[in-house]
Amino acid sequence: MKNLKSTLENIRKKNPGENEFIQAVSEVFETISPLLNDEDSWFEQRIPERMAEPERIITFKVTWTNDKNQVQVNRGFRVQMNSALGPYKGGLRFHPSTNLSILKFLAFEQTFKNSLTGLPLGAGKGGADFDPKGKSEAEVMRFCQAWMQEAHKYLGQFTDIPAGDIGVGEREIGYLFGAYKKITNRFEGTLTGKGIDYGGSHLRPEATGYGLIHFAQNMLESINEILDKKVCLVSGAGNVSQFAIEKLLEEGAKVVAFSDSSGFIHDKDGIDEEKLAFLKNLKNVKREGIELYANKFKSAKFYKGKNKSLWEIDADCAFPCATQNEVDKEDVKAMVKNKVMLLAEGANMPLNQEAIDAIQTSKILYGPGKASNAGGVAISGLEMTQNRMGRQWSKLEMEQELRIMMRNIHTHCIDSIRQYELKEGDYLTGANIYGFKKVGKAMIAQGIV
Ligand code: NDP
């Protein structure tokens, strides 16, 4: 479509060097023409362009002192992307690679993801180029306090509610929440992912990983398959990966691989509960690399670095859960050769555009992250509700809610596929159209603001 092409070109010119952001916007724009063809108002109202322009971007200096009393300077960010459906909502990333392009891509994706949950959630994303690795507890705490010292001005339970992402888990959310409370003198649900004893929700830590596997189950069901006995590959070893592995084990699948930034593990006998407990302790308590897993369990081999790919291992299902652009065209080729039947994204944008093109023309059933990893933000949305009500729902209730919400997200994708007569199993286009339509309509209804 000519209009869409020139809009994308303008966005590209306006955001030079922001490769990840342009990649995310292009991926959506390439799929939404069946919707835009329907009505002129999308272009008259300049919805594609407005959706790709953050409502507000805040960047700020974060100064703090390390344990040697040396002054450290980092850059903090919050991208407030879209508030058509509700207050800004999305995680914080603490990683040295964090920059505006990455956060804008994540915030843009979040717009679609949050609308798919059916909850009243706008979209945002933020963080800092801070590396929690190798820092002491006291250093992490001082950094979180310094980040919040500036960021609190822009946050609030009805304005902007951050959560975790890479490098930000329950520990960091605890320090951020403590700082927010101290500065504002308010105990309110301005962050989600809090500890269960001070306003957190049951199942929030598990929600993204568990939700991913529920979504995959729905996808498999649509082709009369189940997870039981399926051989699975999971990349990453963090929050999303650990709980994806846990749920896969519960469902009778065999997980034979996982990774971290040091390399990957191939465990030919598969991970069991004892091995998973070891992995969780290694990553969450000792905060060490996964090589130690191979030293402990004889059936496992560690592959250092990136010379060989985890995706070359023979398997039925693949779950990239580490970071953006971790899967390329060659990886998809290897999966096609191995007759992988399903790939569902735990991470955000783990497939680069060439990999998406390759998978969309293959027989692999492809679950895009904005649908398949929405379980985390969905339970975060319910954490917000619980905080406003001053209540805490049980784990069982949250488990049921998560299953229902993931099923609903699956249904939203399928409904779009049917309504716009898309290729069967084209979850990517289905999810993009559903999200774009819902957010775009709300924007039109609210006028030119
Ligand atoms: P964690 O920080 O808990 O774990 C990230 C994992 O990925 C770690 O094992 C890390 O290795 C690895 N990793 C990170 N960056 C790289 C890299 N550049 N190369 C190789 N490995 C890398 O993060 P989460 O599990 O929370 O997040 C993982 C993905 O899931 C991200 O894409 C995030 O945006 C997405 N996501 C997370 C949600 C959540 O609720 N947490 C919600 C929805 C999506 P190492 O341990 O060595 O650092």
Side-chain angles (χ1 to χ4, degrees):
M1 284 188 95
K2 194 166 167 283
N3 260 334
L4 212 46
K5 267 199 177 146
S6 59
T7 306
L8 185 59
E9 210 33 57
N10 283 341
I11 294 170
R12 203 187 293 277
K13 277 190 200 139
K14 251 183 159 177
N15 300 281
E18 296 192 353
N19 298 337
E20 293 86 356
F21 176 56
I22 298 300
Q23 183 185 337
V25 175
S26 315
E27 182 243 270
V28 169
F29 280 17
E30 274 169 28
T31 55
I32 54 174
S33 44
L35 171 71
L36 301 190
N37 283 339
D38 253 14
E39 279 176 51
D40 293 336
S41 57
W42 298 112
F43 281 114
E44 280 163 20
Q45 296 285 333
R46 298 180 71 172
I47 295 299
E49 213 169 333
R50 283 163 66 188
M51 230 183 256
E53 187 65 33
E55 291 178 10
R56 192 176 297 109
I57 296 175
I58 301 132
T59 68
F60 50 95
K61 179 175 69 178
V62 187
T63 38
W64 55 287
T65 50
N66 67 11
D67 288 345
K68 292 182 187 143
N69 227 7
Q70 293 160 331
V71 178
Q72 307 293 305
V73 186
N74 284 97
R75 184 171 291 174
F77 305 89
R78 188 68 183 164
V79 177
Q80 297 182 332
M81 193 77 196
N82 192 301
S83 61
L85 300 184
Y88 308 110
K89 178 89 197 100
L92 300 176
R93 180 173 290 194
F94 289 171
H95 193 272
S97 67
T98 304
N99 60 34
L100 211 46
S101 170
I102 290 177
L103 294 177
K104 280 167 69 179
F105 116 65
L106 289 165
F108 183 74
E109 288 262 308
Q110 198 83 40
T111 310
F112 300 85
K113 183 186 314 197
N114 291 4
S115 88
L116 277 158
T117 65
L119 297 171
L121 302 171
K125 205 81 190 189
D129 61 352
F130 168 74
D131 190 357
K133 262 192 213 149
K135 304 289 189 300
S136 70
E137 282 288 321
E139 287 175 327
V140 171
M141 182 180 73
R142 283 199 296 276
F143 177 80
C144 290
Q145 291 171 341
W147 189 94
M148 190 54 91
Q149 187 65 44
E150 180 63 22
H152 80 275
K153 300 168 194 166
Y154 311 99
L155 309 177
Q157 62 169 332
F158 297 110
T159 314
D160 186 347
I161 308 95
D165 189 76
I166 290 178
V168 178
E170 193 176 317
R171 173 182 67 168
E172 289 75 16
I173 293 289
Y175 293 145
L176 289 163
F177 179 73
Y180 182 84
K181 182 167 62 85
K182 171 100 177 169
I183 297 164
T184 62
N185 197 27
R186 289 170 76 91
F187 193 112
E188 61 179 33
T190 295
L191 289 135
T192 59
K194 300 183 289 298
I196 197 71
D197 295 328
Y198 59 94
S201 172
H202 283 293
L203 217 76
R204 177 59 190 93
E206 297 90 339
T208 308
Y210 280 16
L212 168 68
I213 304 310
H214 293 325
F215 192 82
Q217 284 175 310
N218 283 297
M219 291 170 74
L220 285 174
E221 221 176 275
S222 73
I223 53 166
N224 296 319
E225 282 282 359
I226 52 169
L227 271 172
D228 190 40
K229 307 238 169 11
K230 295 285 182 296
V231 177
C232 298
L233 311 173
V234 177
S235 66
N239 170 272
V240 180
S241 318
Q242 290 172 17
F243 289 108
I245 295 172
E246 188 163 287
K247 189 48 85 182
L248 283 168
L249 298 188
E250 263 178 55
E251 296 299 329
K254 181 177 176 185
V255 181
V256 296
F258 60 89
S259 65
D260 70 4
S261 50
S262 66
F264 73 90
I265 293 278
H266 181 193
D267 186 340
K268 59 180 171 34
D269 288 356
I271 302 170
D272 57 20
E273 278 176 21
E274 183 206 336
K275 291 173 176 177
L276 179 58
F278 179 86
L279 175 65
K280 283 186 179 176
N281 188 51
L282 194 64
K283 296 306 291 183
N284 308 347
V285 182
K286 294 188 174 155
R287 297 182 189 272
E288 301 230 38
I290 54 174
E291 187 169 6
L292 294 176
Y293 178 102
N295 296 347
K296 167 102 176 147
F297 301 108
K298 293 283 161 283
S299 57
K301 191 165 174 314
F302 174 65
Y303 295 85
K304 197 177 163 137
K306 289 181 177 154
N307 294 333
K308 190 174 163 9
S309 166
L310 169 154
W311 309 113
E312 288 168 20
I313 299 169
D314 202 3
D316 302 304
C317 301
F319 299 96
C321 297
T323 192
Q324 67 273 1
N325 292 329
E326 55 168 308
V327 178
D328 64 21
K329 191 172 71 179
E330 296 308 314
D331 296 324
V332 174
K333 267 192 199 163
M335 288 188 255
V336 169
K337 190 164 155 254
N338 289 337
K339 299 201 168 52
V340 166
M341 65 171 69
L342 169 143
L343 180 149
E345 297 178 340
N348 287 308
M349 207 169 74
L351 271 64
N352 67 21
Q353 190 57 50
E354 283 188 342
I356 292 179
D357 295 341
I359 206 164
Q360 285 286 72
T361 51
S362 78
K363 287 190 180 141
I364 300 175
L365 210 49
Y366 167 51
K370 47 178 90 72
S372 54
N373 73 30
V377 74
I379 295 296
S380 270
L382 297 188
E383 182 173 330
M384 286 160 61
T385 310
Q386 292 170 80
N387 290 162
R388 286 172 189 168
M389 293 165 73
R391 278 201 56 186
Q392 193 170 62
W393 293 326
S394 71
K395 188 161 186 195
L396 190 64
E397 283 173 297
M398 300 313 291
E399 276 169 352
Q400 284 166 346
E401 290 286 351
L402 181 65
R403 272 185 196 280
I404 293 169
M405 284 194 284
M406 296 317 293
R407 180 166 282 282
N408 288 345
I409 293 170
H410 185 266
T411 306
H412 295 327
C413 296
I414 297 292
D415 286 348
S416 287
I417 292 171
R418 297 215 172 113
Q419 186 180 350
Y420 292 93
E421 296 173 353
L422 308 173
K423 197 179 106 195
E424 209 174 314
D426 186 357
Y427 289 91
L428 177 67
T429 307
N432 285 346
I433 287 185
Y434 180 90
F436 191 95
K437 191 172 170 180
K438 186 166 176 186
V439 177
K441 285 201 155 176
M443 288 169 75
I444 293 171
Q446 290 170 38
I448 317 290
V449 287

